[in-house]
Amino acid sequence: MCGVFTTKAQFNKPSSARSPKNLVKGRTDDAASDATFSGAIGQIRLQAHSLSPSLRRVAEHVIQHADSAVHQTITEVATSVGVSEATITRLCRKLNYAGFHAFKIALAADLGGRKRQNLASQKGEGNK
């Protein structure tokens, strides 16, 4: 048998079991409808299993440094990761964004939503 998988057990593993764990944290079988996969970070996690190694490096950088990446230019992100600007654009398009600018807008919305959630939960804890 010629192919990527050598045993039937490996072939039957869900794609999330083969995906990088740091990118797909919280993945469920119904990931497409899960609200945690709706923004830029969610799209990265949803598609992590299909990213090439260079795109995966960019994705990991964006997730780990989202607060700074949202303020960087495409050149600064590319330099930080050690890839070309074209690689950054390929990731953005793979995630269904028109380009880096559209991706950054979605990333900023993710971060803004996360900050609002944190503030709301802090206010809720203070009322106890």
Side-chain angles (χ1 to χ4, degrees):
M1 179 171 156
C2 184
V4 177
F5 302 103
T6 57
T7 68
K8 194 171 188 176
Q10 285 177 318
F11 181 76
N12 291 327
K13 282 184 183 178
S15 62
S16 60
R18 296 185 306 264
S19 300
K21 290 181 183 174
N22 57 336
L23 291 180
V24 293
K25 191 182 296 181
R27 184 179 173 105
T28 65
D29 289 338
D30 194 21
S33 64
D34 189 344
T36 61
F37 292 96
S38 61
I41 293 173
Q43 285 300 311
I44 289 172
R45 290 181 175 151
L46 183 65
Q47 296 189 38
H49 66 282
S50 66
L51 298 177
S52 68
S54 59
L55 295 181
R56 193 173 297 130
R57 281 199 340 254
V58 176
E60 289 171 352
H61 175 82
V62 168
I63 287 177
Q64 292 171 1
H65 305 285
D67 290 327
S68 60
V70 75
H71 299 291
Q72 293 180 315
T73 65
I74 191 170
T75 304
E76 291 169 334
V77 173
T79 301
S80 296
V81 180
V83 298
S84 68
E85 293 175 17
T87 301
I88 306 293
T89 301
R90 275 195 305 276
L91 175 65
C92 296
R93 293 205 173 142
K94 175 120 177 120
L95 301 174
N96 297 318
Y97 293 100
F100 184 66
H101 183 73
F103 174 75
K104 278 182 29 172
I105 291 171
L107 183 60
D110 281 356
L111 296 175
R114 189 171 69 189
K115 287 178 183 177
R116 281 191 297 275
Q117 283 179 333
N118 288 342
L119 287 173
S121 66
Q122 288 173 357
K123 286 181 180 179
E125 289 174 6
N127 292 336
K128 291 182 181 178

